[in-house]
Amino acid sequence: MIRSLLLSILLIVSLFHVKAEENNFGKPSFFIRTSAFMENGFIPNKYTCDGINVSPDLFWGDFPPETKSFVIIMEDPDAPTGVFTHWIVYDIPYTVTALNENLPKTPIVNGYIKQGINDFGRIGYFGPCPPRGMPHRYFIRIYALDIPVLGLPPGAVKQDVMYKMEGHILAQTHIVGLYGR
């Protein structure tokens, strides 16, 4: 009886595994990258408060064909006060698949891309600036949305951006960089 039950469980698990592989077979995988650092690599000083504090270049692809816009949020989950937001970019049209290094720290970029207020209380990018100690992880997440705009003014806070994205996220992915002092 126990052996029969175990065999049934193994069969169900193997069928689920095969089905998952079939569903993913041949489908591209949504990605985000930067030339500034490798996945789980150290972020160069240039992109931190110890350097000139400019945003890294970003590029992405293989997003769902139904995508109408993107949102990018950079966070430090290792901050002493909890998750700390370093950058919010939203209303990025689906036709834009890259951001250049040193994106201007303005509420609106290129006439249509909006930036929010980070946890430093500033518009735009403010890079890693952890206290001395162990390196922190910095997640740059990108969300593919099924709507062209969030309907928020420039300078929105993360909570408002997340609220407006609810029910509209088609896919998301991230890249992680490390930085310590």
Side-chain angles (χ1 to χ4, degrees), residues 21-56:
E21 286 179 356
E22 287 174 359
N23 286 341
N24 292 325
F25 181 76
K27 288 190 177 179
S29 182
F30 187 29
F31 70 87
I32 185 169
R33 302 282 185 271
T34 178
S35 66
F37 57 89
M38 300 293 289
E39 173 72 23
N40 292 311
F42 279 88
I43 300 170
N45 280 3
K46 175 181 184 177
Y47 307 102
T48 74
C49 69
D50 295 320
I52 57 174
N53 207 15
V54 297
S55 62

Side-chain angles (χ1 to χ4, degrees), residues 34-173:
T34 178
S35 66
F37 57 89
M38 300 293 289
E39 173 72 23
N40 292 311
F42 279 88
I43 300 170
N45 280 3
K46 175 181 184 177
Y47 307 102
T48 74
C49 69
D50 295 320
I52 57 174
N53 207 15
V54 297
S55 62
D57 67 301
L58 297 173
F59 59 96
W60 54 91
D62 295 335
F63 47 88
E66 305 84 23
T67 301
K68 301 283 190 263
S69 68
F70 301 100
V71 170
I72 294 172
I73 299 176
M74 178 178 170
E75 298 174 311
D76 171 5
D78 303 319
T81 57
V83 177
F84 195 89
T85 304
H86 286 262
W87 195 19
I88 305 166
V89 190
Y90 51 102
D91 291 353
I92 305 168
Y94 75 95
T95 55
V96 174
T97 58
L99 295 178
N100 291 330
E101 180 181 273
N102 196 17
L103 197 69
K105 296 178 184 188
T106 58
I108 300 177
V109 178
N110 297 335
Y112 48 86
I113 296 172
K114 297 175 186 164
Q115 294 192 90
I117 297 176
N118 58 41
D119 285 346
F120 290 100
R122 299 176 182 169
I123 293 277
Y125 179 87
F126 198 95
C129 200
R132 299 214 181 279
M134 295 295 290
H136 287 208
R137 296 167 298 151
Y138 294 87
F139 286 76
I140 301 175
R141 293 184 191 349
I142 186 166
Y143 302 87
L145 306 180
D146 66 357
I147 53 176
V149 295
L150 293 179
L152 292 169
V157 295
K158 183 178 84 174
Q159 291 78 6
D160 292 340
V161 170
M162 297 299 288
Y163 177 75
K164 288 290 196 168
M165 287 193 316
E166 269 183 41
H168 296 288
I169 299 170
L170 297 170
Q172 68 181 38
T173 190

Side-chain angles (χ1 to χ4, degrees), residues 1-14:
M1 169 106 172
I2 292 176
R3 183 171 188 226
S4 175
L5 181 60
L6 286 174
L7 287 173
S8 296
I9 291 171
L10 285 174
L11 178 62
I12 290 169
V13 169
S14 67

